[in-house]
Amino acid sequence: MTTYTPPIKDIQFVLHELLKVTESDVPGYDELDPEFTQAILDEAGKIAANVLHPLNKVGDEEGCRLENGVVRTPKGFKEAFDQVREGGWTGLDCDPEYGGQGLPHLMNTAAGEMFSSANMAFQMYPGLTHGAASAIHVHGSEDQKQTYLPKLYSGEWTGTMNLTEPQCGTDLGLIRTKAEPQDDGSYLITGSKIWISSGEHDMADNIIHLVLAKIPGGPEGVKGISLFVVPKFFVNEDGSLGDRNAVSCGGLEEKMGIHGNATCVMNYDGARGWLVGEMHKGMRAMFTMMNEARLSVALQGYAQGEVAYQNALGFARDRLQGRDVTGTKNPNGPADPIIVHPDVRRNLMDQKVYVEGGRAMVYWGASMIDRSHRLNDDEAEAMISLLIPVLKGFLTDKGFETAVNAQQTLGGSGFTREWGLEQFVRDARIAMIYEGTNGIQSLDLVGRKLGMNGGQTIMAFFEMVKSFIKENEGNAGLKAGYLDPLKEASKDLQAAAMYFMQEGMKNPLNALSGSYDFMHLFGHVTMGLVWAQMAKASMEALEGGASDTEFYETKLATGRYYMARHLPATKLHLARISTGAEPVMALDAANF
Amino acid sequence: MTTYTPPIKDIQFVLHELLKVTESDVPGYDELDPEFTQAILDEAGKIAANVLHPLNKVGDEEGCRLENGVVRTPKGFKEAFDQVREGGWTGLDCDPEYGGQGLPHLMNTAAGEMFSSANMAFQMYPGLTHGAASAIHVHGSEDQKQTYLPKLYSGEWTGTMNLTEPQCGTDLGLIRTKAEPQDDGSYLITGSKIWISSGEHDMADNIIHLVLAKIPGGPEGVKGISLFVVPKFFVNEDGSLGDRNAVSCGGLEEKMGIHGNATCVMNYDGARGWLVGEMHKGMRAMFTMMNEARLSVALQGYAQGEVAYQNALGFARDRLQGRDVTGTKNPNGPADPIIVHPDVRRNLMDQKVYVEGGRAMVYWGASMIDRSHRLNDDEAEAMISLLIPVLKGFLTDKGFETAVNAQQTLGGSGFTREWGLEQFVRDARIAMIYEGTNGIQSLDLVGRKLGMNGGQTIMAFFEMVKSFIKENEGNAGLKAGYLDPLKEASKDLQAAAMYFMQEGMKNPLNALSGSYDFMHLFGHVTMGLVWAQMAKASMEALEGGASDTEFYETKLATGRYYMARHLPATKLHLARISTGAEPVMALDAANF
């Protein structure tokens, strides 16, 4: 019952009018002219709309089944994966030296958005593969790269990340999985991992597991964790597949959503693996992957918001109920479409601003990753590291909220399975949890990122906002509707940062008690910035005589709505932060 | 995996220390001494915890099945219903003249909370029955009362409310179901109703349907709707059951949650029914039921929050992960329980304030219904009518949010079916939709209730808040932590009401565009009031030398948290309201 229309015009707007990619000095961006990106987006959009989205409900209803150690994915998933890999989508932004197509990460992000909107559970299979390949690319030996990357890039094989165990999720220092060194340089891995997305399935010839484990005798806690590559089937010298390794799926998790993705208990029973990177430096290897992985989860947030919003909008235009209070709009029908009603619009606008703002934030983030990787730009690397917990935490919270709001647009129909909105809500929910819960994101932000480089990076962010405002204050329309609210919100963020620096020094609980609010406050300011930038770009287009005036005027009105009705949330977050630890920590644990 | 512990101490606190029921002049309240209410609550709590809660997951997983026109409820539901009716719970607050027990509605609310927390889908069967019986009690003929009420009160039969049709939910003027008058004074009902909760099932001998339909030739729209009673089986003169009526279940809705409750398509194929109340006055009959019905949905909001919070709290105390930043709390374990972490506490406190505040608001509402019914107190009737959309909209939004927050406390476990939190989220979601979506509640508030009695009722609310503050300002502790924030928030509410009166007169869209925010602003002030009152009651208990000091100090700290960290949301809502209709209505419907 749901539909998905690739939002290509909006994506092109972000690429070319907000980010102005062809003007960038990042190697490879010069090729991204509008015709070229249009062609890529069109093709990705076709796969998303015609191949992946029709399987979204099937995946939810059938789910995955474990039969004699084999995981059966939902009907049609394998054939869809064939189309995705044959189209070259699995290696789009990967290293050409190992068979990738070498496009910027930004373009992979754009295609990934559409695939994720269309079918989030499906997109996790190539998504995790991409993450595993990146880890091998950065930390693996040349031999490992030669062995694994071409097949992971081509999608013939898929990959996984194995971190969590029953007794540890956030606190990976508690890992028990053991890796015992063998004479031939390999390790025998023993232990059980849980919640392994795409851990076992029937869509690829081999599965390459990246596993965190401890080598006996190493340091205690997180300092003694190493990263291993453990293939499901061994790979012979000639690249052909050999024997099955001692790794197996011990069970599938029944979950609230993303049923089409196999969430596995993975048992390693003396499975043979090989160290990736340095011994005991597994956490560091994971961390270097984290920006990319968390950005892709931030994307999932607004991508589920996008498809939910599209369907809510369709319903609001079709459903006839009540009459426009300012005068009948549909005199020949029994009632007017509900989009005429102010509270329905309020809800739709609430959805729209976070979807479009979220896209701008994530694409900007992807462009910083490209800048960091392709120019070895440390400032870009620092800035994206600062922003990653904000993007992940804020956009997945808002993405879920958007899906819930879209469901609400449908009234009772939104609660039924038939209309499909409730699936978007159930699927979107996981993004707030995995890749580090949003609470953990907020601790990363306040505990680690805020003070990074002696506070220089956060200062650079403030400076960026300030310069943008200063450079454009001469534009009266931009100033009143966009820059002034942004300035206000930015002051709130600075006040909160100051509070943490001063009060957090005296008592770390004062900072930690406000971390979640700080993440949202930061998210709002960042979204305020990109909306102001999009408003500027829209004004420029209108001034430049763009023919599609409605498109740009709609962007301006949408941004104004965000500025007027959402950005003021910064004051509430600051008020909450300013109360410090006392209200939060007042109760004894026994008295809750 | 989930547990439920009846929160009897908290309920007793609200009954006796907040509402001080035995001091009330409402007839019947004098009997509600603490020993008596304790005995009732203990018994209801046993049913909830031992009978209903163990079936909560069963109901979710099995759901209801339609087989040859018969709806099979989940295993154990029928036996549980037997226990509920044998315990006299279905007629607790019903008219003794027809076999009810005649207790105040407040006590039914307290028992209903526990049943609803324990098993929301189950509780809907007796809940709807109560609503149908109330409609017959107020609007039915003496003959109808004699025929139906004793069996509905005893729970031998159950009841339903049939409003929605495929083409109309909110806009009941579009109803197509026809009622054709017969010579014997009965009507033949023809049409199809959807989303009928408990419409068909195997737990009772008969089902009494209340159906909205149009008598041909009557007025157009809502003014031509009449209410009919349509029994599944006809009732003979001697009270025995006769033939089957021409009403049947045409299908079950597959839904996001409340799977244990049968949501039916009900087909009326010339079913025989009898007019309840006056011809064409069906909407009025429905409206008189609405306060009670909507209050019971408000209750469902925080009741799901309560059980979700309990399970989140249990997890937070058990789960070992990371170390307390201020010093290890569990030196003999591998890590500290996560309740030591500030952001986990922040989340738990966010849950706790809405559960306890929600209970106080709903019980206060129930006491106003008792006052209205038992003393024919028009002011109480007006006040609860004003507050009903606030309670329903605000508490179901916050109840769902609480369940989502509780799920978040569990991290990845919260997303799995095994831990059960995700069911609370799915079940809680419906309360924001049915009995009038929360958007509709906000329109009822702003469009109908705000100006009710020439604005006297809203003024009486402001006066009540003001007097409470004034009377207690001498208490310095109460003033700083509770009354001052309440005064601030109340000013915001008054400013918003003033805005609507002034700007809404000029342009109704200015009021309608802010209705949802106004509902939440009003909800916060109401919750601020009850928290201030609970704080006062707790201080009095401590001054009076209560032995359980921790209980009262915890209440004070919890209230302080609400005041410091949630009540300031009023400013954000006021800011949003003050932007008026422009940002909301700026886009043409085609340009969304």
Side-chain angles (χ1 to χ4, degrees):
Chain A
M1 282 292 299
T2 57
T3 61
Y4 172 66
T5 305
I8 291 174
K9 193 167 180 177
D10 276 321
I11 295 177
Q12 285 280 63
F13 171 76
V14 172
L15 294 179
H16 299 291
E17 299 184 75
L18 177 68
L19 299 176
K20 297 188 166 57
V21 286
T22 54
E23 296 173 21
S24 163
D25 58 341
V26 173
Y29 273 43
D30 54 332
E31 293 173 48
L32 301 180
D33 60 73
E35 293 68 35
F36 181 62
T37 58
Q38 179 78 36
I40 293 175
L41 298 174
D42 281 344
E43 287 309 306
K46 276 182 211 161
I47 299 261
N50 304 334
V51 179
L52 302 185
H53 193 61
L55 295 174
N56 195 45
K57 194 175 189 189
V58 176
D60 186 56
E61 290 181 348
E62 275 192 30
C64 297
R65 282 163 298 129
L66 178 62
E67 293 168 354
N68 304 317
V70 178
V71 172
R72 305 281 175 209
T73 53
K75 195 168 183 315
F77 267 44
K78 185 174 188 328
E79 293 72 19
F81 201 73
D82 287 341
Q83 290 199 52
V84 168
R85 61 189 142 210
E86 282 158 20
W89 298 105
T90 50
L92 195 70
D93 63 345
C94 297
D95 188 346
E97 204 178 322
Y98 305 98
Q101 300 201 44
L103 284 179
H105 185 57
L106 180 59
M107 292 313 295
N108 192 59
T109 301
E113 176 200 314
M114 292 189 271
F115 294 172
S116 194
S117 282
N119 194 327
M120 179 168 159
F122 175 90
Q123 174 59 9
M124 291 172 65
Y125 294 99
L128 269 294
T129 303
H130 193 278
S134 292
I136 293 172
H137 188 257
V138 178
H139 298 284
S141 65
E142 187 53 40
D143 187 47
Q144 287 170 342
K145 293 192 215 182
Q146 297 283 359
T147 305
Y148 300 112
L149 292 185
K151 301 282 192 178
L152 289 170
Y153 288 176
S154 70
E156 286 168 88
W157 301 348
T158 66
T160 72
M161 308 293 262
N162 292 240
L163 286 73
T164 307
E165 299 180 8
Q167 79 290 351
C168 64
T170 298
D171 189 355
L172 290 170
L174 303 179
I175 276 180
R176 288 188 197 139
T177 297
K178 263 188 323 194
E180 292 177 289
Q182 306 299 302
D183 292 342
D184 64 356
S186 70
Y187 291 79
L188 290 188
I189 316 282
T190 305
S192 190
K193 295 285 181 177
I194 61 170
W195 303 342
I196 308 309
S197 299
S198 321
E200 176 60 45
H201 58 81
D202 55 3
M203 301 199 295
D205 296 336
N206 202 3
I207 302 177
I208 311 306
H209 302 289
L210 290 181
V211 185
L212 290 185
K214 287 187 170 178
I215 300 169
E220 289 285 303
V222 291
K223 295 192 173 123
I225 295 174
S226 305
L227 180 66
F228 299 89
V229 58
V230 184
K232 174 179 168 184
F233 290 102
F234 294 115
V235 183
N236 298 322
E237 292 276 322
D238 64 355
S240 64
L241 294 184
D243 290 342
R244 175 85 189 238
N245 205 344
V247 49
S248 60
C249 174
L252 289 179
E253 215 71 55
E254 287 191 67
K255 315 180 293 287
M256 183 184 194
I258 51 166
H259 294 313
N261 194 275
T263 307
C264 303
V265 176
M266 295 305 296
N267 294 325
Y268 294 85
D269 302 307
R272 193 170 298 273
W274 290 269
L275 190 64
V276 177
E278 287 178 63
M279 194 182 281
H280 308 320
K281 305 284 188 198
M283 287 304 286
R284 192 186 295 175
M286 277 291 136
F287 267 102
T288 61
M289 295 303 94
M290 227 165 244
N291 283 350
E292 206 177 296
R294 290 182 170 177
L295 190 68
S296 77
V297 177
L299 178 151
Q300 290 177 333
Y302 83 80
Q304 284 304 291
E306 164 76 48
V307 67
Y309 166 69
Q310 286 189 16
N311 285 277
L313 179 58
F315 185 91
R317 285 180 171 143
D318 288 346
R319 175 74 171 170
L320 305 179
Q321 211 73 175
R323 290 294 186 189
D324 188 336
V325 68
T326 63
T328 294
K329 286 288 182 301
N330 177 34
N332 299 323
D336 289 339
I338 62 171
I339 197 170
V340 304
H341 303 308
D343 188 63
V344 172
R345 275 171 181 260
R346 189 265 319 152
N347 186 6
L348 288 171
M349 291 300 290
D350 284 350
Q351 297 163 45
K352 187 173 171 66
V353 293
Y354 286 108
V355 170
E356 296 179 18
R359 174 179 299 118
M361 284 166 71
V362 166
Y363 285 32
W364 179 39
S367 76
M368 281 190 270
I369 288 181
D370 277 328
R371 174 167 290 276
S372 149
H373 289 176
R374 291 176 174 233
L375 286 172
N376 285 317
D377 182 329
D378 288 343
E379 283 177 23
E381 170 71 25
M383 186 59 72
I384 186 62
S385 295
L386 169 67
L387 287 176
I388 277 294
V390 176
L391 298 178
K392 197 279 186 183
F394 180 71
L395 292 182
T396 59
D397 277 2
K398 291 300 178 185
F400 176 70
E401 190 180 300
T402 298
V404 170
N405 286 342
Q407 183 184 26
Q408 192 73 10
T409 305
L410 276 76
S413 300
F415 197 67
T416 65
R417 291 220 159 169
E418 185 189 355
W419 283 85
L421 272 289
E422 61 93 36
Q423 183 191 345
F424 301 140
V425 171
R426 288 186 288 103
D427 288 354
R429 182 68 182 89
I430 188 60
M432 296 155 72
I433 296 173
Y434 62 17
E435 276 299 326
T437 65
N438 288 357
I440 293 298
Q441 301 300 324
S442 78
L443 299 189
D444 178 47
L445 175 63
V446 167
R448 199 176 289 133
K449 302 296 177 64
L450 195 54
M452 198 173 57
N453 302 327
Q456 278 180 42
T457 310
I458 179 81
M459 293 311 291
F461 178 85
F462 289 137
E463 194 49 49
M464 179 174 21
V465 176
K466 209 169 136 187
S467 322
F468 178 77
I469 293 172
K470 201 158 181 176
E471 281 160 23
N472 296 286
E473 265 179 333
N475 181 335
L478 206 60
K479 182 170 187 302
Y482 309 89
L483 301 180
D484 287 347
L486 177 60
K487 192 186 265 183
E488 271 299 299
S490 179
K491 272 188 213 161
D492 293 336
L493 183 62
Q494 291 183 55
M498 192 59 75
Y499 177 88
F500 285 152
M501 285 176 196
Q502 290 174 349
E503 299 299 320
M505 291 287 258
K506 292 184 219 158
N507 178 2
L509 296 178
N510 278 332
L512 295 172
S513 296
S515 64
Y516 210 90
D517 282 286
F518 187 71
M519 179 175 78
H520 272 258
L521 171 43
F522 207 151
H524 276 295
V525 173
T526 310
M527 190 171 271
L529 175 64
V530 298
W531 266 119
Q533 290 169 334
M534 288 195 282
K536 183 190 174 189
S538 300
M539 286 182 183
E540 283 171 355
L542 288 169
E543 282 156 21
S547 58
D548 192 356
T549 55
E550 285 186 348
F551 177 83
Y552 296 107
E553 278 162 6
T554 297
K555 276 275 175 274
L556 285 167
T558 308
R560 214 158 57 234
Y561 183 92
Y562 177 78
M563 295 293 180
R565 290 200 151 227
H566 286 278
L567 194 54
T570 55
K571 300 227 169 303
L572 174 60
H573 291 298
L574 178 59
R576 288 170 58 101
I577 288 167
S578 307
T579 64
E582 194 283 330
V584 177
M585 306 303 291
L587 295 190
D588 193 90
N591 290 338
F592 267 79
Chain B
M1 281 292 298
T2 57
T3 60
Y4 173 66
T5 306
I8 291 174
K9 192 166 184 179
D10 276 320
I11 295 178
Q12 285 280 63
F13 171 75
V14 172
L15 294 179
H16 299 291
E17 300 183 76
L18 177 67
L19 299 176
K20 297 188 166 52
V21 288
T22 55
E23 297 173 20
S24 164
D25 57 343
V26 173
Y29 272 45
D30 53 332
E31 293 173 48
L32 301 180
D33 61 72
E35 292 69 32
F36 181 62
T37 58
Q38 179 79 38
I40 292 176
L41 297 174
D42 281 344
E43 286 309 306
K46 275 183 210 159
I47 298 261
N50 305 334
V51 179
L52 302 184
H53 193 61
L55 295 175
N56 195 45
K57 195 176 188 189
V58 176
D60 186 56
E61 289 180 349
E62 276 192 28
C64 297
R65 282 164 300 130
L66 176 63
E67 292 169 354
N68 303 318
V70 178
V71 172
R72 305 281 174 211
T73 53
K75 193 167 187 310
F77 268 42
K78 187 175 187 326
E79 294 71 19
F81 201 72
D82 287 340
Q83 291 199 51
V84 168
R85 61 190 142 210
E86 281 158 20
W89 299 104
T90 49
L92 195 70
D93 64 343
C94 298
D95 188 347
E97 204 178 322
Y98 305 98
Q101 299 202 44
L103 284 179
H105 185 56
L106 180 59
M107 293 312 296
N108 193 57
T109 301
E113 176 199 314
M114 291 188 273
F115 294 172
S116 193
S117 282
N119 194 326
M120 178 167 159
F122 175 90
Q123 173 59 9
M124 290 172 67
Y125 294 99
L128 269 294
T129 303
H130 193 278
S134 292
I136 294 172
H137 188 256
V138 176
H139 298 283
S141 66
E142 187 53 41
D143 187 47
Q144 287 170 343
K145 293 192 215 180
Q146 297 283 358
T147 304
Y148 300 113
L149 292 185
K151 301 281 192 179
L152 289 170
Y153 288 176
S154 69
E156 285 168 88
W157 301 349
T158 65
T160 72
M161 307 293 262
N162 291 240
L163 285 75
T164 307
E165 300 180 9
Q167 78 290 351
C168 63
T170 298
D171 189 354
L172 290 170
L174 304 179
I175 276 180
R176 290 190 195 135
T177 296
K178 262 189 324 194
E180 291 177 289
Q182 305 298 302
D183 292 344
D184 65 354
S186 70
Y187 291 79
L188 290 188
I189 316 282
T190 305
S192 190
K193 295 286 183 177
I194 61 169
W195 302 342
I196 307 309
S197 299
S198 320
E200 176 58 47
H201 59 80
D202 56 2
M203 301 199 295
D205 296 336
N206 202 3
I207 301 177
I208 310 305
H209 302 289
L210 289 180
V211 184
L212 290 185
K214 288 188 169 178
I215 300 169
E220 289 287 301
V222 290
K223 293 190 173 126
I225 295 174
S226 305
L227 180 66
F228 299 89
V229 59
V230 183
K232 175 180 170 183
F233 289 102
F234 294 114
V235 183
N236 298 321
E237 292 276 322
D238 64 355
S240 65
L241 294 185
D243 290 341
R244 175 87 190 236
N245 204 345
V247 50
S248 59
C249 173
L252 290 178
E253 215 71 56
E254 288 192 67
K255 315 180 294 289
M256 184 185 193
I258 52 164
H259 293 314
N261 193 274
T263 306
C264 303
V265 175
M266 296 303 297
N267 294 325
Y268 294 84
D269 303 307
R272 193 171 298 274
W274 290 267
L275 191 65
V276 178
E278 287 178 62
M279 194 182 282
H280 308 321
K281 304 285 188 200
M283 287 304 285
R284 193 186 294 173
M286 276 292 136
F287 266 102
T288 61
M289 295 303 94
M290 228 165 244
N291 283 349
E292 206 177 296
R294 290 181 171 176
L295 189 69
S296 77
V297 177
L299 177 151
Q300 290 176 332
Y302 82 80
Q304 284 303 292
E306 164 76 47
V307 68
Y309 166 69
Q310 286 188 16
N311 284 277
L313 179 58
F315 185 91
R317 284 179 171 144
D318 288 347
R319 175 74 172 171
L320 305 179
Q321 209 75 175
R323 289 293 185 190
D324 188 336
V325 68
T326 64
T328 294
K329 286 287 180 302
N330 178 32
N332 299 324
D336 289 340
I338 62 171
I339 198 170
V340 304
H341 303 308
D343 189 63
V344 172
R345 276 171 178 260
R346 188 265 320 152
N347 186 5
L348 288 170
M349 291 301 290
D350 283 351
Q351 297 163 43
K352 188 172 168 67
V353 294
Y354 287 107
V355 170
E356 296 179 19
R359 174 178 298 117
M361 284 166 72
V362 166
Y363 286 31
W364 180 39
S367 76
M368 281 189 269
I369 288 181
D370 278 328
R371 174 166 288 277
S372 151
H373 288 176
R374 292 177 174 233
L375 285 172
N376 285 317
D377 182 329
D378 289 343
E379 283 177 24
E381 170 71 25
M383 185 60 71
I384 186 61
S385 295
L386 170 67
L387 288 175
I388 277 294
V390 176
L391 298 178
K392 196 279 186 184
F394 180 71
L395 292 182
T396 59
D397 277 2
K398 292 300 179 186
F400 176 70
E401 190 180 300
T402 298
V404 171
N405 286 342
Q407 183 184 27
Q408 193 72 11
T409 304
L410 276 77
S413 299
F415 197 67
T416 65
R417 291 220 159 167
E418 186 188 353
W419 284 84
L421 271 290
E422 61 92 37
Q423 184 191 344
F424 301 140
V425 171
R426 289 185 289 102
D427 287 354
R429 184 67 183 86
I430 188 60
M432 296 155 72
I433 296 173
Y434 62 18
E435 276 299 326
T437 65
N438 288 356
I440 293 298
Q441 301 300 323
S442 77
L443 299 189
D444 178 47
L445 175 64
V446 167
R448 200 178 287 133
K449 303 295 176 62
L450 195 54
M452 198 173 58
N453 302 326
Q456 278 179 41
T457 309
I458 180 80
M459 293 312 292
F461 178 85
F462 289 138
E463 195 48 49
M464 180 173 23
V465 175
K466 209 170 134 184
S467 322
F468 178 78
I469 293 172
K470 202 160 179 172
E471 282 161 22
N472 295 286
E473 268 179 332
N475 181 334
L478 205 58
K479 183 171 186 302
Y482 310 89
L483 302 180
D484 287 348
L486 177 60
K487 193 187 265 185
E488 272 299 298
S490 179
K491 272 188 211 161
D492 293 335
L493 183 62
Q494 290 182 56
M498 191 59 76
Y499 177 87
F500 285 152
M501 286 177 196
Q502 290 174 347
E503 299 299 320
M505 291 286 257
K506 292 183 220 161
N507 177 4
L509 295 178
N510 278 331
L512 295 172
S513 297
S515 64
Y516 210 90
D517 282 285
F518 188 71
M519 179 175 80
H520 271 259
L521 171 43
F522 206 151
H524 275 296
V525 173
T526 311
M527 191 170 271
L529 175 64
V530 298
W531 266 119
Q533 291 168 334
M534 288 196 282
K536 183 189 173 186
S538 299
M539 286 182 182
E540 282 171 358
L542 287 169
E543 282 155 18
S547 58
D548 192 356
T549 55
E550 284 186 351
F551 177 83
Y552 296 105
E553 279 162 6
T554 297
K555 276 274 177 275
L556 285 166
T558 309
R560 214 158 57 234
Y561 184 91
Y562 177 78
M563 295 293 181
R565 291 201 151 225
H566 287 278
L567 194 54
T570 55
K571 299 227 170 300
L572 175 59
H573 291 299
L574 178 59
R576 288 170 58 102
I577 289 167
S578 307
T579 64
E582 195 284 328
V584 177
M585 306 303 291
L587 296 191
D588 192 88
N591 290 338
F592 266 80

